Amino acid sequence: MNDALVLLHDLIDMQVANLNEQKKFLESKKRALLLPHCSRKYLDNRCRAIFDTNITSYICAHCSEDCLISKADKIAKEKGYDIYVLPGGSCIPKIFNNVKYEGVVGVACGEEAKMLRSPLSNRGIAVQAIPLIKNGCVNTVFSIETLTEIL
Ligand code: SF4
Ligand code: SF4
């Protein structure tokens, strides 16, 4: 399969899984937003985020108003979400062993979304995934409009 087909396949899978869990997600109260570290505007030390090893997450310092992570963080905080900016799916157990979430919105590429969903679903957490529309692990992009709608 070429890259475009893989992307399309992942998008359809993600959409079907989201629809399956939508009702449960809408009923969830305690929620978290998982964001990918690769969508930070800067991946070097110009990013002022601090990495908190206790929760294995970057804490955005809002150094750049046009950074997608900064925008997403502000929108989600207003809606009462806990926010995690993760270097990878391996951080999941640490976070979810500490806090009992009922619903999770996760932004990720297709591969990462697949790895995120099953450990969370196994814990009874309703997941809504949002795909990266530009992936490649550097300066990746997601739709703030789609995120706002789902939150
Ligand atoms: S706005 Fe936040 S995530 Fe983006 S580069 Fe600055 S500190 Fe890093
Ligand atoms: S593109 Fe996917 S695999 Fe690469 S860093 Fe971002 S979320 Fe992780």
Side-chain angles (χ1 to χ4, degrees), residues 35-39 43 86-89 107-113 115-116 132 134-141:
L35 296 167
H37 81 108
C38 55
S39 294
L43 298 185
L86 303 179
V107 179
C109 62
E111 272 310 301
E112 198 75 18
M115 289 199 292
L116 287 176
L132 291 176
K134 175 182 169 285
N135 52 23
C137 302
V138 180
N139 298 130
T140 58
V141 176

Side-chain angles (χ1 to χ4, degrees), residues 12 44 61 71 73-74 83 97-98 104 126 141 150:
I12 293 169
D44 56 21
K71 289 182 189 175
D73 182 282
K74 285 180 186 165
I83 297 129
N97 285 342
N98 287 341
V104 162
V141 176
I150 289 185

Side-chain angles (χ1 to χ4, degrees), residues 61-82:
H62 302 287
C63 71
S64 304
E65 274 188 18
D66 59 345
C67 172
L68 274 176
I69 296 295
S70 173
K71 289 182 189 175
D73 182 282
K74 285 180 186 165
I75 295 166
K77 263 202 193 105
E78 271 179 20
K79 293 180 182 283
Y81 281 72
D82 290 344

Side-chain angles (χ1 to χ4, degrees), residues 10-125:
D10 285 347
L11 284 176
I12 293 169
D13 279 354
M14 228 185 250
Q15 196 56 30
V16 169
N18 282 355
L19 282 173
N20 284 339
E21 298 197 24
Q22 193 177 46
K23 185 170 178 291
K24 193 172 168 192
F25 174 77
L26 291 173
E27 290 165 355
S28 69
K29 296 205 164 50
K30 180 84 177 152
R31 293 180 182 177
L33 170 65
L34 308 183
L35 296 167
H37 81 108
C38 55
S39 294
R40 289 176 297 153
K41 181 176 178 183
Y42 303 119
L43 298 185
D44 56 21
N45 59 11
R46 286 173 294 172
C47 169
R48 309 307 297 171
I50 290 164
F51 189 74
D52 184 339
T53 51
N54 292 318
I55 53 169
T56 58
S57 169
Y58 290 94
I59 310 292
C60 175
H62 302 287
C63 71
S64 304
E65 274 188 18
D66 59 345
C67 172
L68 274 176
I69 296 295
S70 173
K71 289 182 189 175
D73 182 282
K74 285 180 186 165
I75 295 166
K77 263 202 193 105
E78 271 179 20
K79 293 180 182 283
Y81 281 72
D82 290 344
I83 297 129
Y84 300 91
V85 182
L86 303 179
S90 56
C91 307
I92 293 291
K94 196 160 187 182
I95 294 169
F96 290 89
N97 285 342
N98 287 341
V99 189
K100 299 285 170 229
Y101 291 104
E102 295 170 9
V104 162
V105 176
V107 179
C109 62
E111 272 310 301
E112 198 75 18
K114 273 184 234 166
M115 289 199 292
L116 287 176
R117 192 181 288 273
S118 54
L120 297 182
S121 297
N122 290 344
R123 289 167 188 258
I125 300 168

Side-chain angles (χ1 to χ4, degrees), residues 33 35 68 71-73 75-76 105 107 130 142-151:
L33 170 65
L35 296 167
L68 274 176
K71 289 182 189 175
D73 182 282
I75 295 166
V105 176
V107 179
I130 296 171
F142 58 89
S143 163
I144 281 287
E145 290 74 25
T146 305
L147 176 69
T148 309
E149 214 172 283
I150 289 185
L151 291 176

